[in-house]
Each structure stands twice: as C-alpha cells, then as structure tokens.
Amino acid sequence: MSISQNHGLICKIDKLLQDNVTPIIITIGGPTASGKTTLVRQLNQYYSSKLALLDTDSYYIGQIAMQRQLPPKLASNFDIPEACNLTLLTEHLRSLKSGNVIKKPVYDMSTRSPTNKSVVVNPHKLIVVEGIFANQPIITKFADITICVTAPFETRLARRIERDLALRNYSSNQTRSYMLKQAEQAYNLYLKEFDDNADYLISG
C-alpha cells in the first residue's frame, strides 16, 4: 500500500481542505494489524505532518477498569467497544475541531493499563481518528471521510505475531489463538458492519 495508489482519496481530502474553513475529520478503521497505522504515517508525511491524530488505543480504560465495569466473560476482551473510552475520545475530537489543544492519554500496552501521563495534541486542519474502533457511530457522526483498511487474515496474523513478540513477549501460538478465539470473533460481531459501510475500502 502506498499513498500514490489512493489518488481518489487524496483528491477528496484536498478538495475538502480547500473548501472548508473548519477542520476535516477522517476515521481510519479496520481489523487488527490491517495496515491502519501505515496509512496514517503516509498521510502524515504527505501533508507535511500537519494533522492531529487520535488513536483509539490511547483511550483503552485498562484491565482493572474492565474487570470492575464489564461482565466476567468480557472483562479481558480488548476488542469490544466497551474496552475503550470513546466518550472521552469524542470530547477530544470536538475540542480539536473547535481549535483547542487537548491532552491525549498515554496507555501502556505492556501492563494493560492507562498511565498518569498525557501527550499534548494541537489542533490542525486535518484530524485523523485511527484504530479498530474508529468507525463506531459515536465517532463517525463527526467524520467527513470514513476509511476501512483491510488485509487477508494470514497477512494480519504475521504482523500481529511480530508486534506481540516485541510488545508482550507472546509466542506465535498465543497470538494465533488470540486472533482466532477473540480478536476475529469480536471484530465480526461488534465492528465489521461499520467498517463495511466506510466511504473508502483500502487494501493494507
């Protein structure tokens, strides 16, 4: 995948940026390890780093909060919308769209918990929301463009194995089991229908 292969998308973004005074909001969803972050990186480079990014991973509520708030069978499932503070994310989205600075939370994947740190995000003309929850209706109601990045399961699995080894020291068998028994099932149940309705479907 390269940005040059998505000429229609770039033309659409350029047109919106030209015609609108207020910031343009783009959501980039899709299943785990499909290439969402790669597309964000390419857009960031193409637009000279002049975009604000809200990644849904930063808004996870964490394992302890999930155990307190969710039924036991869901308390360890990070692939359901309830695992993410989408309300706070939309509040930050509104703030950025209004031209205000926000403090995005920092989440520690290795401990599965939020930290007490934050990252300052300045408003820009282009605002991107990226992550598996990005195309949830609570977010896309603000969006000018919605995108789903997809890739074959085995491609995504290979990427996820590499990522999990680096971040969590998971074995390939652990990651495969997680993908088959949790991530794919949750995606098909809670997220896929919204990604299927995205304005653009991009192969990652």
Side-chain angles (χ1 to χ4, degrees):
M1 176 179 63
S2 68
I3 204 68
S4 61
Q5 295 174 323
N6 299 298
H7 179 71
L9 172 61
I10 294 302
C11 288
K12 177 67 173 179
I13 296 173
D14 287 344
K15 184 70 165 56
L16 288 171
L17 290 172
Q18 179 181 341
D19 294 345
N20 290 270
V21 176
T22 57
I24 302 306
I25 297 175
I26 299 174
T27 61
I28 302 177
T32 183
S34 60
K36 299 180 293 294
T37 303
T38 298
L39 179 59
V40 171
R41 188 181 304 116
Q42 292 172 348
L43 288 172
N44 197 37
Q45 293 173 348
Y46 186 86
Y47 288 102
S48 302
S49 301
K50 293 182 179 178
L51 63 81
L53 173 63
L54 298 182
D55 55 299
T56 64
D57 284 0
S58 294
Y59 293 83
Y60 274 122
I61 63 175
Q63 184 73 79
I64 293 175
M66 290 171 65
Q67 291 172 346
R68 291 173 179 168
Q69 299 175 23
L70 300 177
K73 66 178 182 179
L74 298 177
S76 296
N77 193 335
F78 287 83
D79 294 273
I80 60 174
E82 290 81 3
C84 191
N85 191 345
L86 298 180
T87 300
L88 177 60
L89 192 156
T90 55
E91 290 174 2
H92 283 176
L93 191 58
R94 288 192 190 96
S95 293
L96 286 172
K97 190 174 178 65
S98 298
N100 300 313
V101 173
I102 62 109
K103 291 184 177 180
K104 183 174 67 173
V106 173
Y107 184 82
D108 188 339
M109 288 288 183
S110 64
T111 63
R112 296 187 171 188
S113 60
T115 69
N116 57 5
K117 300 177 182 179
S118 62
V119 174
V120 172
V121 178
N122 294 305
H124 286 296
K125 191 70 183 294
L126 186 60
I127 302 171
V128 175
V129 182
E130 176 269 328
I132 62 172
F133 307 117
N135 284 328
Q136 289 291 290
I138 191 175
I139 300 172
T140 56
K141 66 182 180 181
F142 298 101
D144 298 282
I145 298 175
T146 59
I147 300 170
C148 172
V149 182
T150 187
F153 174 78
E154 289 300 330
T155 299
R156 294 188 289 108
L157 175 62
R159 293 170 180 168
R160 187 66 193 241
I161 287 173
E162 182 178 358
R163 183 191 306 174
D164 283 353
L165 179 61
L167 293 178
R168 302 180 180 91
N169 199 30
Y170 283 5
S171 69
S172 59
N173 286 337
Q174 284 177 302
T175 298
R176 178 178 285 274
S177 176
Y178 158 77
M179 288 278 285
L180 290 172
K181 295 180 180 180
Q182 183 167 304
E184 294 299 290
Q185 292 184 24
Y187 177 76
N188 290 329
L189 185 61
Y190 299 105
L191 308 174
K192 187 177 185 297
E193 65 173 303
F194 303 113
D195 284 341
D196 286 346
N197 291 322
D199 299 324
Y200 291 87
L201 181 65
I202 294 176
S203 176

